[in-house]
Amino acid sequence: MSPRPSVVFSAFRSNADPRLQGWVAFRKSVQSGAHGGDVARVSGLARAGELARAGELARTGTTDRVAEGRDRSRGLATVADSGHSGIWRLLASNSRELGRSSSVYGSFAGARAHVLELKDQCDAMVATVVTGPSAGTHGWVVTIGERIVMTAGRWYGAASASREAAAGTIEAFRVALVAEDARHATEAGRRGSRVLSEAERAQAW
């Protein structure tokens, strides 16, 4: 167990994997609740250059996200129909999930490069509390400029709890260790995960 938060990467052999589909379904719920959210926290003053660079990432797709299409109002990539893909998650030192990527990526290299880019832009991150799919539930999204870069991994029972969690997540992300490898999600019904070899990591997930 790491004494610091960590960013870990999960790879999927198919976009039909139920774990990935669950991630997509949750992201859709958070995205739906983002309408009319209240700004919860700004971790620092954004510099113009940082926002410009974030905008460039969104326009060029240089992080190798698997993008069949894009929600232009929020900058969220959608999941393509086939091919390997992966996501990242921010974990606390006790392995509890704090937040997760808002995009699905086409390669490990692209996903890790994007995480490192985002770590340099923590001062530009803004957390927004969003409403959940049922009464009394709340979540959060983190944006840089107009682009959502991270979301909550669960719903909270109060807006204040969601706000506090979002603030803590940004600070945890700032100091998090970034994994140098990815793990393949196992097929349904099987336990465990497998660390990729050097040759596999050089390929798309």
Side-chain angles (χ1 to χ4, degrees), residues 14 18 27-28 39 51 73 81 97 99 101-102 105 153 160 179 183 189:
S14 167
R27 185 186 70 175
K28 183 177 181 180
V39 174
L51 293 179
S73 66
D81 291 332
E97 182 178 320
S101 63
S102 65
Y105 300 82
S160 59
R183 290 182 177 271

Side-chain angles (χ1 to χ4, degrees), residues 22-99:
W23 175 90
V24 172
F26 182 82
R27 185 186 70 175
K28 183 177 181 180
S29 295
V30 174
Q31 175 183 348
S32 298
H35 288 293
D38 297 323
V39 174
R41 177 179 184 274
V42 178
S43 66
L45 293 177
R47 296 190 297 273
E50 290 175 322
L51 293 179
R53 182 165 53 155
E56 183 63 19
L57 281 173
R59 289 192 298 274
T60 62
T62 53
T63 58
D64 293 333
R65 283 177 290 276
V66 177
E68 180 189 32
R70 189 179 303 280
D71 181 336
R72 295 183 183 279
S73 66
R74 297 175 181 82
L76 289 173
T78 61
V79 180
D81 291 332
S82 62
H84 293 192
S85 59
I87 61 173
W88 56 261
R89 296 183 300 139
L90 174 65
L91 304 182
S93 59
N94 63 359
S95 298
R96 177 172 56 89
E97 182 178 320
L98 301 176

